[in-house]
Amino acid sequence: QVQLVESGGGLVQAGGSLRLSCAASRTIFTIDPMGWYRQAPGKQRELVATITSGGNTNYADSIKGRCTISRDNAKNTIILQVNSLTPEDTGVYSCWGKWFKYDYWGQGTQVTVSS
C-alpha cells in the first residue's frame, strides 16, 4: 500500500507561481513513475508531468516550459513547480504513483488562479 499526501495548493494570482509537494508513505525508489495530474472544472483529468526513478521527465504540451517536476529521494517527496500561472491552470491537482502494477492517488489539492 502507498499513501500519497499533497500540499501547497491554494489561491494564486495570475502570473504567479505555485509549488506543490507530494509525500509518499514509502521510499519513492519503489514508486515508479510518479507524477501530477489536474482536473479543471467541467473537464476530464489530464496529465501535467511525470518523473521516473531515474529522473526522466515528461510534461504536457500545455504546460511545457512553465513547469518543473523533481524528486527529493531523501524525503520521499516529489515537487511540482509551475510558473506564469493563468486562470486556465485552475483545478484540482492530484499526485499519482505506480507501485508494482498498482496505481495510487493522493486526495488532491485545489489550485485557483485569479485573474
Side-chain angles (χ1 to χ4, degrees), residues 36-38 46-50 58-60 63 67 80 82 93:
W36 291 90
Y37 284 72
R38 68 183 180 187
E46 64 175 358
L47 170 73
V48 177
T50 61
N58 179 52
Y59 297 97
I63 209 164
C67 180
L80 184 74
V82 184
Y93 285 69

Side-chain angles (χ1 to χ4, degrees), residues 22-42:
C22 173
S25 60
R26 59 173 61 242
T27 174
I28 61 174
F29 283 114
T30 64
I31 309 171
D32 189 21
M34 297 185 72
W36 291 90
Y37 284 72
R38 68 183 180 187
Q39 186 167 20

Side-chain angles (χ1 to χ4, degrees), residues 1-4 23-34 53 71-78 98-100:
Q1 290 281 349
V2 175
Q3 283 79 46
L4 302 173
S25 60
R26 59 173 61 242
T27 174
I28 61 174
F29 283 114
T30 64
I31 309 171
D32 189 21
M34 297 185 72
S53 59
R71 301 169 69 105
D72 185 338
N73 294 323
K75 296 182 179 180
N76 294 325
T77 297
I78 64 168
K98 184 172 286 291
W99 184 62
F100 293 99

Side-chain angles (χ1 to χ4, degrees), residues 86-97:
T86 73
E88 287 68 40
D89 292 314
T90 292
V92 177
Y93 285 69
S94 298
C95 180
W96 163 80

Side-chain angles (χ1 to χ4, degrees), residues 96-115:
W96 163 80
K98 184 172 286 291
W99 184 62
F100 293 99
K101 62 178 180 179
Y102 302 106
D103 292 312
Y104 289 89
W105 295 88
Q107 80 284 358
T109 185
Q110 177 69 45
V111 173
T112 302
V113 183
S114 63
S115 57

